[in-house]
Amino acid sequence: MGRYRGRGPIIVRLAAACVAASLAIASPTPPLGAHASASPSPLLAEVTAPAYILVEMSTGKVVLEHNADERMYPASTTKIMTAILAIENIRDFSDQVKASPTGVDPGPGGMHINIGIGEVLPVGDVLGAMIVKSANECSNILAEHIAGSIAGFVGMMNSKAESMGLRETHYMNAHGMHHPNHYTTARDLATISLYAMALPKFRELAVMTRYEMSPTNMHNTWDVLYNTNNLLYEDSDYYDHVTGVKTGYTSQARNCLVASAIDGEGVEFLCVV
């Protein structure tokens, strides 16, 4: 049990990016899927996030949680599930994909990288831009490439969630733009993220600070795409390095973060806030 004592700092850096809180940890709680039984720290009163969970990645043990089973809007952390299905269903990431009119629509105010109708891109670049830059149109393009339609892909997302035992997760799109029936929980999102981080391709992209797109029939050059996860650019005394994973924001969901990092003892944690 003492293994977790004194590990408050990693939570500070992972969780405080969104909740601006200082946390202290007691002893570990049961495996992912079980409720915490440890007495809460008095410092938890300082946390403003409505829901969060911290998990040791190698064991799945929950170190800290609050409202982890409450339904929340996931915003662009939705793209973690989109990436899982893309990685598991695309055989060759050098394959070319053509963007359709529905594919390039990022949704009202959605993040995008200005892919044009009829633009032909390597599907690996589409995946990279979605994970690193959180480009909404890339989620749509991947969806249509894999399932033939966005609706068909969303069905695959929900089927995958069901197969993973996620009873409080439901998708309505591939990118995370707000819909009242598009939701998950901190616990479910942690489960999705742990699954994704076990995929080498996802882990490779989730830690990239920048991504450079290949030339296309509509772009001779692209602006460099920088990762939306600001923790990747920071040094800290609290951990050795950040290993991922994904940010999200909508006006309804507010700031969402899935972050992972390795501490000085080589233990990797994943935090959802």
Side-chain angles (χ1 to χ4, degrees):
M1 294 177 68
R3 181 180 188 186
Y4 290 91
R5 296 189 183 278
R7 293 195 184 277
I10 192 168
I11 304 177
V12 174
R13 295 306 306 142
L14 291 180
C18 287
V19 302
S22 298
L23 306 180
I25 297 179
S27 55
T29 60
L32 191 62
H35 293 282
S37 58
S39 300
S41 163
L43 289 179
L44 295 182
E46 299 180 21
V47 181
T48 60
Y52 53 81
I53 191 168
L54 182 81
V55 182
E56 185 191 352
M57 293 177 66
S58 65
T59 63
K61 288 183 178 178
V62 175
V63 182
L64 188 71
E65 67 175 270
H66 174 68
N67 290 337
D69 298 305
E70 183 176 337
R71 288 183 181 180
M72 308 292 291
Y73 299 128
S76 282
T77 61
T78 296
K79 297 181 175 93
I80 299 172
M81 178 63 86
T82 303
I84 289 171
L85 290 175
I87 292 167
E88 291 186 338
N89 286 277
I90 296 171
R91 293 184 179 181
D92 188 346
F93 290 100
S94 66
D95 285 349
Q96 301 292 301
V97 59
K98 186 176 182 179
S100 72
T102 52
V104 300
D105 179 10
M111 177 74 78
H112 62 91
I113 58 169
N114 294 314
I115 295 175
I117 297 172
E119 189 157 8
V120 179
L121 311 93
V123 70
D125 278 358
V126 179
L127 178 64
M130 183 189 73
I131 295 175
V132 174
K133 190 61 178 177
S134 200
N136 281 9
E137 77 265 52
C138 292
S139 301
N140 292 335
I141 293 167
L142 288 170
E144 292 182 339
H145 178 68
I146 293 166
S149 68
I150 294 171
F153 186 81
V154 172
M156 291 176 64
M157 295 172 73
N158 286 318
S159 293
K160 185 70 171 181
E162 184 177 356
S163 73
M164 295 173 67
L166 309 180
R167 298 182 178 181
E168 296 298 329
T169 294
H170 187 262
Y171 298 107
M172 295 297 295
N173 57 62
H175 43 54
M177 291 296 287
H178 180 70
H179 189 286
N181 290 323
H182 188 102
Y183 55 80
T184 189
T185 67
R187 191 184 311 280
D188 279 6
L189 186 50
T191 299
I192 294 165
S193 302
L194 290 171
Y195 185 105
M197 289 293 281
L199 302 173
K201 183 67 173 179
F202 182 89
R203 184 178 277 270
E204 170 193 340
L205 291 168
V207 75
M208 285 186 175
T209 56
R210 51 186 284 160
Y211 191 90
E212 297 187 19
M213 301 281 287
S214 306
T216 71
N217 58 323
M218 293 187 180
H219 281 87
N220 290 326
T221 61
W222 297 80
D223 291 337
V224 175
L225 306 181
Y226 291 97
N227 203 305
T228 57
N229 183 0
N230 288 335
L231 289 176
L232 291 170
Y233 307 101
E234 297 181 2
D235 293 324
S236 175
D237 294 332
Y238 299 137
Y239 49 77
D240 279 2
H241 62 279
V242 173
T243 55
V245 290
K246 191 74 191 71
T247 63
Y249 177 86
T250 66
S251 58
Q252 296 86 358
R254 309 304 294 173
N255 290 304
C256 305
L257 174 69
V258 180
S260 59
I262 298 174
D263 72 3
E265 297 179 18
V267 180
E268 189 172 22
F269 292 88
L270 182 133
C271 182
V272 177
V273 288

